Amino acid sequence: MYQVVIVEDDPMVSLLDKTFTEKDPRFTVIQTFSEGRSALEWLSCHPADLLILDVYMPLLTGMELLHELRAREIESDVIMVTAANDAKTVDALLKLGVVDYLVKPFTWERFQQALDTFCRHRQAVAGEAVSQDALDQLFAPSASSPEHPVPKGVQESTLERIRTCLRTAPPQGLPSESISRQTGLSVVTVRRYMNYLVERGEVVSSVNYDTGGRPCRLYRYPGLA
């Protein structure tokens, strides 16, 4: 589970950031701050995977905080959630390596996309070397499979949560109920998305009769079993 720190001076936005983050079972919020200086001192002594950061804050702005973190070789990834959308600020923060940039006000779906982008980044650089497919998923996820447009009502961010779950599935696959528990999605939603992934040939399904009761359908990536 990824550990998240939120630095946001607006208490309502901070609460929204926390609520949206913890809707995703891959993340837990371990600390929140309303200004940058306290966040800097805490982060200097405590590791965090992801920082959700505002720009306009007292004592130390988000830009100044990020500069200080990098100067101290603190390599937490950063998602900006801010009202700052002038080109100079955006360009400067992107050059500091932020994972994603959300301009207030934002939707849950866009926030979820940012979390998915962070996860793709971490997965891509987890091994000894990075494959071209992993790089394509990181830099151009929508372009990596143009022959399979996502139909109306299917969210790419939800698909990515299910794909992440299936990447760590056992060889025999996982039932809908297990995928539901691991992703935080309802079983009905999981089954609808699995039907879509099976139809497009990305996932295969099989029936497990060795349950001692009612048979269940298992889902996995091709070639795992």
Side-chain angles (χ1 to χ4, degrees):
M1 184 175 288
Y2 295 116
Q3 297 188 325
V4 181
V5 171
I6 296 170
V7 189
E8 167 64 63
D9 66 327
D10 185 324
M12 293 299 293
V13 177
S14 180
L15 178 60
L16 191 63
D17 289 346
K18 186 176 189 295
T19 301
F20 282 180
T21 299
E22 294 192 332
K23 284 180 69 174
D24 190 320
R26 297 173 294 183
F27 297 87
T28 182
V29 175
I30 58 173
Q31 195 62 260
T32 61
F33 296 94
S34 60
E35 46 84 15
R37 191 171 301 282
S38 296
L40 176 62
E41 296 310 313
W42 192 90
L43 288 164
S44 297
C45 303
H46 303 85
D49 298 301
L50 177 63
L51 182 63
I52 296 175
L53 179 62
D54 190 12
V55 171
Y56 302 128
M57 292 185 298
L59 301 182
L60 201 67
T61 69
M63 179 85 74
E64 292 167 339
L65 172 59
L66 188 50
H67 272 292
E68 285 291 331
L69 291 173
R70 297 307 183 234
R72 300 185 188 192
E73 298 184 348
I74 298 171
E75 299 180 350
S76 302
D77 285 315
V78 176
I79 293 174
M80 301 304 304
V81 178
T82 177
N85 64 345
D86 61 283
K88 183 177 180 180
T89 298
V90 172
D91 183 57
L93 287 164
L94 291 176
K95 286 176 178 175
L96 285 169
V98 302
V99 171
D100 207 339
Y101 200 111
L102 279 66
V103 177
K104 300 173 184 175
F106 54 91
T107 64
W108 174 81
E109 289 81 7
R110 183 61 185 87
F111 193 95
Q112 182 64 56
Q113 288 176 19
L115 296 181
D116 290 336
T117 298
F118 162 80
C119 289
R120 284 197 301 271
H121 172 83
R122 283 298 178 97
Q123 290 158 9
V125 299
E128 292 290 331
V130 183
S131 69
Q132 185 63 58
D133 181 64
L135 289 169
D136 291 343
Q137 285 291 324
L138 180 60
F139 290 107
S142 62
S144 61
S145 56
E147 71 278 12
H148 296 296
V150 177
K152 185 177 180 180
V154 174
Q155 298 290 331
E156 184 62 42
S157 60
T158 303
L159 281 172
E160 188 58 32
R161 289 169 71 178
I162 292 173
R163 288 175 178 134
T164 299
C165 178
L166 289 177
R167 289 186 189 110
T168 58
Q172 69 271 21
L174 287 172
S176 299
E177 292 77 11
S178 295
I179 299 171
S180 171
R181 287 193 297 271
Q182 293 183 38
T183 60
L185 301 168
S186 71
V187 174
V188 172
T189 297
V190 168
R191 287 173 178 162
R192 179 163 62 90
Y193 276 76
M194 297 315 301
N195 288 338
Y196 165 70
L197 292 171
V198 170
E199 286 175 3
R200 62 177 280 176
E202 183 175 339
V203 169
V204 296
S205 67
S206 59
V207 178
N208 178 17
Y209 294 97
D210 300 326
T211 60
R214 183 178 178 181
C216 71
R217 188 166 293 277
L218 302 175
Y219 300 94
R220 59 178 173 81
Y221 279 124
L224 289 183

Coordinates of all heavy atoms in Angstrom, one line a residue, residues 162-202:
I162 N -8.4 -2.5 -12.2 CA -8.6 -4.0 -12.4 C -7.4 -4.6 -13.0 O -6.9 -5.7 -12.6 CB -9.8 -4.2 -13.3 CG1 -11.1 -3.8 -12.5 CG2 -9.9 -5.7 -13.7 CD1 -12.4 -3.8 -13.3
R163 N -6.7 -4.0 -14.0 CA -5.5 -4.5 -14.6 C -4.4 -4.7 -13.6 O -3.7 -5.6 -13.6 CB -5.1 -3.6 -15.7 CG -5.9 -3.6 -17.0 CD -5.5 -2.6 -18.0 NE -6.3 -2.6 -19.2 CZ -6.7 -1.5 -19.8 NH1 -6.5 -0.3 -19.3 NH2 -7.4 -1.6 -20.9
T164 N -4.3 -3.7 -12.7 CA -3.3 -3.7 -11.7 C -3.5 -5.0 -10.8 O -2.5 -5.7 -10.4 CB -3.3 -2.5 -10.8 OG1 -3.0 -1.3 -11.6 CG2 -2.3 -2.5 -9.7
C165 N -4.7 -5.2 -10.4 CA -5.1 -6.4 -9.6 C -4.7 -7.7 -10.4 O -4.1 -8.6 -9.8 CB -6.5 -6.3 -9.3 SG -7.1 -7.7 -8.3
L166 N -5.1 -7.8 -11.6 CA -4.8 -9.0 -12.4 C -3.3 -9.3 -12.6 O -2.9 -10.4 -12.8 CB -5.5 -8.9 -13.7 CG -7.1 -9.0 -13.7 CD1 -7.7 -8.8 -15.1 CD2 -7.5 -10.3 -13.1
R167 N -2.5 -8.2 -12.6 CA -1.1 -8.4 -12.8 C -0.4 -9.2 -11.7 O 0.6 -9.8 -11.9 CB -0.4 -7.0 -13.0 CG -0.7 -6.3 -14.3 CD 0.1 -5.0 -14.4 NE -0.3 -4.3 -15.6 CZ -1.0 -3.1 -15.5 NH1 -1.2 -2.6 -14.3 NH2 -1.4 -2.5 -16.6
T168 N -1.1 -9.2 -10.5 CA -0.5 -9.9 -9.4 C -1.4 -11.1 -9.0 O -1.2 -11.7 -8.0 CB -0.4 -9.0 -8.2 OG1 -1.7 -8.5 -7.9 CG2 0.5 -7.8 -8.4
A169 N -2.3 -11.5 -10.0 CA -3.1 -12.6 -9.7 C -2.4 -14.0 -9.8 O -1.4 -14.1 -10.5 CB -4.3 -12.7 -10.7
P170 N -2.8 -15.0 -9.0 CA -2.2 -16.3 -9.1 C -2.4 -16.9 -10.5 O -3.3 -16.4 -11.3 CB -2.9 -17.1 -8.1 CG -4.2 -16.4 -7.8 CD -3.9 -15.0 -8.1
P171 N -1.7 -17.9 -10.9 CA -1.8 -18.4 -12.3 C -3.2 -18.9 -12.7 O -3.6 -18.7 -13.8 CB -0.8 -19.6 -12.3 CG 0.2 -19.3 -11.2 CD -0.6 -18.5 -10.2
Q172 N -3.9 -19.4 -11.7 CA -5.3 -19.9 -12.0 C -6.3 -18.7 -12.2 O -7.4 -18.9 -12.7 CB -5.8 -20.8 -11.0 CG -6.1 -20.2 -9.6 CD -4.9 -20.2 -8.7 OE1 -3.7 -20.3 -9.2 NE2 -5.1 -20.0 -7.4
G173 N -5.9 -17.5 -11.8 CA -6.8 -16.4 -11.9 C -7.5 -16.0 -10.6 O -7.3 -16.6 -9.6
L174 N -8.4 -15.1 -10.7 CA -9.1 -14.6 -9.6 C -10.6 -14.5 -9.9 O -11.0 -14.1 -11.0 CB -8.7 -13.2 -9.2 CG -7.3 -13.0 -8.5 CD1 -7.0 -11.5 -8.4 CD2 -7.3 -13.7 -7.1
P175 N -11.5 -14.8 -8.9 CA -12.9 -14.6 -9.1 C -13.3 -13.1 -8.9 O -12.5 -12.3 -8.4 CB -13.5 -15.5 -8.0 CG -12.5 -15.4 -6.9 CD -11.2 -15.4 -7.6
S176 N -14.5 -12.8 -9.4 CA -15.0 -11.4 -9.3 C -14.9 -10.9 -7.8 O -14.6 -9.7 -7.6 CB -16.4 -11.3 -9.8 OG -16.5 -11.7 -11.2
E177 N -15.3 -11.8 -6.9 CA -15.3 -11.3 -5.5 C -14.0 -10.9 -5.0 O -13.8 -9.9 -4.2 CB -15.9 -12.4 -4.6 CG -17.4 -12.8 -4.9 CD -17.6 -13.6 -6.1 OE1 -16.6 -14.1 -6.7 OE2 -18.8 -13.7 -6.5
S178 N -12.9 -11.6 -5.4 CA -11.6 -11.3 -4.9 C -11.1 -10.0 -5.6 O -10.5 -9.1 -4.9 CB -10.6 -12.4 -5.3 OG -10.9 -13.6 -4.5
I179 N -11.4 -9.8 -6.9 CA -11.1 -8.6 -7.5 C -11.8 -7.4 -6.9 O -11.2 -6.3 -6.7 CB -11.4 -8.7 -9.0 CG1 -10.6 -9.8 -9.7 CG2 -11.1 -7.4 -9.8 CD1 -11.0 -10.1 -11.1
S180 N -13.1 -7.6 -6.5 CA -13.8 -6.6 -5.9 C -13.2 -6.1 -4.6 O -13.1 -4.9 -4.3 CB -15.3 -7.1 -5.6 OG -16.0 -6.2 -4.8
R181 N -12.8 -7.1 -3.8 CA -12.2 -6.8 -2.5 C -10.8 -6.0 -2.7 O -10.5 -5.1 -1.9 CB -11.9 -8.0 -1.7 CG -13.2 -8.6 -1.1 CD -12.8 -9.7 0.0 NE -12.1 -10.8 -0.6 CZ -12.7 -11.9 -1.1 NH1 -14.0 -12.0 -1.1 NH2 -11.9 -12.9 -1.6
Q182 N -10.1 -6.4 -3.6 CA -8.7 -5.8 -3.8 C -8.8 -4.4 -4.5 O -7.9 -3.6 -4.3 CB -7.9 -6.7 -4.7 CG -7.5 -8.0 -3.9 CD -6.6 -8.9 -4.7 OE1 -5.7 -8.4 -5.4 NE2 -6.8 -10.2 -4.7
T183 N -9.8 -4.2 -5.2 CA -9.9 -2.9 -5.9 C -10.9 -1.9 -5.3 O -10.8 -0.7 -5.6 CB -10.4 -3.1 -7.4 OG1 -11.7 -3.7 -7.4 CG2 -9.4 -4.0 -8.2
G184 N -11.7 -2.4 -4.4 CA -12.7 -1.5 -3.8 C -13.9 -1.2 -4.6 O -14.7 -0.4 -4.3
L185 N -14.0 -2.0 -5.7 CA -15.2 -1.8 -6.6 C -16.3 -2.8 -6.3 O -16.0 -3.9 -5.7 CB -14.7 -2.1 -8.1 CG -13.7 -1.1 -8.6 CD1 -13.1 -1.7 -9.9 CD2 -14.2 0.3 -8.8
S186 N -17.5 -2.6 -6.7 CA -18.6 -3.5 -6.4 C -18.4 -4.7 -7.3 O -17.8 -4.7 -8.4 CB -19.9 -2.9 -6.6 OG -20.1 -2.7 -8.0
V187 N -19.0 -5.9 -6.9 CA -18.9 -7.1 -7.7 C -19.6 -6.9 -9.0 O -19.1 -7.4 -10.0 CB -19.5 -8.3 -6.9 CG1 -19.6 -9.5 -7.8 CG2 -18.7 -8.6 -5.6
V188 N -20.7 -6.2 -9.0 CA -21.4 -5.9 -10.2 C -20.6 -5.1 -11.2 O -20.5 -5.5 -12.4 CB -22.7 -5.1 -9.9 CG1 -23.4 -4.7 -11.2 CG2 -23.7 -6.0 -9.1
T189 N -19.9 -4.1 -10.7 CA -19.0 -3.3 -11.6 C -17.8 -4.2 -12.1 O -17.5 -4.1 -13.3 CB -18.4 -2.1 -10.8 OG1 -19.5 -1.3 -10.4 CG2 -17.4 -1.3 -11.6
V190 N -17.2 -5.0 -11.2 CA -16.1 -5.9 -11.7 C -16.6 -6.8 -12.8 O -15.9 -6.9 -13.8 CB -15.6 -6.7 -10.5 CG1 -14.7 -7.8 -10.9 CG2 -14.9 -5.8 -9.5
R191 N -17.7 -7.4 -12.6 CA -18.2 -8.4 -13.6 C -18.5 -7.6 -15.0 O -18.2 -8.2 -16.0 CB -19.5 -9.0 -13.2 CG -19.2 -10.1 -12.1 CD -20.5 -10.7 -11.5 NE -20.2 -11.7 -10.5 CZ -21.0 -12.1 -9.6 NH1 -22.3 -11.6 -9.5 NH2 -20.7 -13.0 -8.7
R192 N -19.0 -6.4 -14.9 CA -19.2 -5.7 -16.2 C -17.9 -5.4 -16.9 O -17.8 -5.5 -18.1 CB -20.0 -4.4 -15.8 CG -20.3 -3.5 -17.1 CD -21.4 -2.5 -16.7 NE -20.9 -1.6 -15.7 CZ -20.3 -0.5 -15.9 NH1 -20.0 -0.1 -17.2 NH2 -20.0 0.3 -14.9
Y193 N -16.9 -5.0 -16.1 CA -15.6 -4.6 -16.7 C -14.9 -5.9 -17.2 O -14.2 -5.9 -18.2 CB -14.8 -3.9 -15.7 CG -15.1 -2.4 -15.7 CD1 -16.2 -1.9 -15.1 CD2 -14.2 -1.5 -16.3 CE1 -16.5 -0.5 -15.1 CE2 -14.5 -0.1 -16.4 CZ -15.6 0.4 -15.8 OH -15.9 1.7 -15.8
M194 N -15.1 -7.0 -16.4 CA -14.4 -8.2 -16.9 C -15.0 -8.7 -18.2 O -14.3 -9.2 -19.0 CB -14.5 -9.3 -15.8 CG -13.8 -9.0 -14.5 SD -12.2 -8.3 -14.7 CE -11.3 -9.6 -15.5
N195 N -16.3 -8.6 -18.3 CA -17.0 -9.0 -19.6 C -16.4 -8.2 -20.7 O -16.2 -8.7 -21.8 CB -18.5 -8.7 -19.5 CG -19.2 -9.8 -18.6 OD1 -18.7 -10.8 -18.4 ND2 -20.4 -9.4 -18.1
Y196 N -16.2 -6.9 -20.5 CA -15.6 -6.0 -21.5 C -14.2 -6.5 -21.9 O -13.8 -6.6 -23.1 CB -15.6 -4.6 -21.1 CG -14.7 -3.7 -21.9 CD1 -15.0 -3.3 -23.2 CD2 -13.5 -3.2 -21.3 CE1 -14.2 -2.5 -23.9 CE2 -12.7 -2.4 -22.1 CZ -13.0 -2.0 -23.4 OH -12.2 -1.2 -24.1
L197 N -13.3 -6.8 -20.9 CA -12.0 -7.2 -21.1 C -11.9 -8.6 -21.8 O -11.0 -8.8 -22.6 CB -11.2 -7.2 -19.8 CG -10.9 -5.8 -19.1 CD1 -10.3 -6.0 -17.7 CD2 -10.0 -5.0 -20.0
V198 N -12.8 -9.5 -21.4 CA -12.9 -10.8 -22.1 C -13.3 -10.6 -23.5 O -12.7 -11.2 -24.4 CB -13.8 -11.7 -21.3 CG1 -14.1 -13.0 -22.1 CG2 -13.3 -12.1 -20.0
E199 N -14.3 -9.8 -23.8 CA -14.7 -9.5 -25.2 C -13.7 -9.0 -26.1 O -13.6 -9.4 -27.3 CB -15.9 -8.6 -25.2 CG -17.2 -9.2 -24.6 CD -18.3 -8.2 -24.6 OE1 -18.1 -7.0 -25.0 OE2 -19.4 -8.6 -24.1
R200 N -12.8 -8.1 -25.6 CA -11.7 -7.6 -26.4 C -10.5 -8.5 -26.4 O -9.5 -8.1 -27.1 CB -11.4 -6.2 -25.9 CG -10.8 -6.1 -24.5 CD -10.4 -4.7 -24.1 NE -9.1 -4.3 -24.7 CZ -8.6 -3.1 -24.6 NH1 -9.2 -2.1 -24.0 NH2 -7.4 -2.9 -25.1
G201 N -10.5 -9.6 -25.7 CA -9.4 -10.5 -25.8 C -8.3 -10.2 -24.8 O -7.2 -10.9 -24.9
E202 N -8.4 -9.2 -24.0 CA -7.3 -8.9 -23.1 C -7.2 -9.8 -21.9 O -6.1 -10.1 -21.4 CB -7.5 -7.5 -22.6 CG -6.3 -7.0 -21.7 CD -6.5 -5.5 -21.3 OE1 -7.2 -4.8 -22.0 OE2 -5.9 -5.1 -20.3

